[in-house]
Amino acid sequence: MKEEFAASAARATPVVGGNFWLWLSHHDINWWVAVATLAYIGASFVFAWRKDRRDRCAGKREHAHD
């Protein structure tokens, strides 16, 4: 089953990659700026969430040693 899926994915890769490249290359700069902005905002939220989680875990470890 896995081999069949891998073979099917390998056969479809050039077609999918070509279609994806055509889709990407037909957008103007405003679209790319919007995508980059959304990616930056999303990454900021992820980094803030991870930092908050790290700080909470560090706080729990400090209180465990009291």
Side-chain angles (χ1 to χ4, degrees):
M1 179 77 175
K2 288 181 184 178
E3 294 83 15
E4 292 173 13
F5 179 75
S8 176
R11 281 193 302 271
T13 299
V15 176
V16 172
N19 286 340
F20 186 63
W21 176 252
L22 285 172
W23 181 78
L24 285 178
S25 64
H26 286 89
H27 288 92
D28 63 351
I29 189 65
N30 294 328
W31 189 88
W32 288 109
V33 170
V35 167
T37 303
L38 289 173
Y40 176 79
I41 292 169
S44 298
F45 277 112
V46 169
F47 290 141
W49 176 75
R50 289 178 66 193
K51 183 180 183 311
D52 183 55
R53 200 172 85 182
R54 222 177 17 248
D55 291 346
R56 282 192 208 163
C57 289
K60 286 180 184 176
R61 275 186 254 139
E62 288 176 7
H63 293 300
H65 294 296
D66 291 341

